[in-house]
Amino acid sequence: QVQLVESGGGLVQPGGSLRLSCAASGRIVSINYMAWYRQAPGKQRELVANVNSGGRTNYADSVQGRFTISRDNAKNTVYLQMNSLKPEDTAVYSCNLILAAYGLGPRDYWGQGTQVTVSS
């Protein structure tokens, strides 16, 4: 059974930084895709950033230059470094992985979500 565990959310002042982590555990064979999404109250979920197995990254325009997504393949973990945070970054952040576990083909997995609040 595959599980994703997120950590790193919290309350931060505008201009501050946070680092989110999402660690996958279980009988994992490969991770093809890793991403972070967010959903603010009353808004649709949006893609924040993603990274593929080759290391290519993609960012939403709203976070370009402020956020950095990275992956540690040895730890089956994806990170989101968030700098210069703004109040409009306030949302529940969730990780999304497409991975293959032993005996199973690639499937979509989601973390439990972690709250990020940017406020003075």
Side-chain angles (χ1 to χ4, degrees), residues 8-21:
L11 173 65
V12 64
Q13 291 186 342
S17 298
L18 283 175
R19 188 193 194 206
L20 305 182
S21 300

Side-chain angles (χ1 to χ4, degrees), residues 51-72:
V51 56
N52 65 14
S53 57
R56 176 169 291 186
T57 58
N58 176 59
Y59 296 92
D61 289 343
S62 59
V63 307
Q64 182 76 45
R66 299 188 298 122
F67 291 11
T68 302
I69 189 170
S70 61
R71 59 188 290 171
D72 185 333

Side-chain angles (χ1 to χ4, degrees), residues 2-47:
V2 173
Q3 289 187 326
L4 303 186
V5 177
E6 297 180 19
S7 60
L11 173 65
V12 64
Q13 291 186 342
S17 298
L18 283 175
R19 188 193 194 206
L20 305 182
S21 300
C22 173
S25 62
R27 303 183 70 193
I28 297 167
V29 174
S30 62
I31 302 178
N32 303 331
Y33 172 88
M34 307 173 105
W36 287 96
Y37 286 78
R38 67 185 181 186
Q39 186 167 21
K43 295 187 177 181
Q44 289 189 330
R45 184 170 61 193
E46 64 172 347
L47 174 67

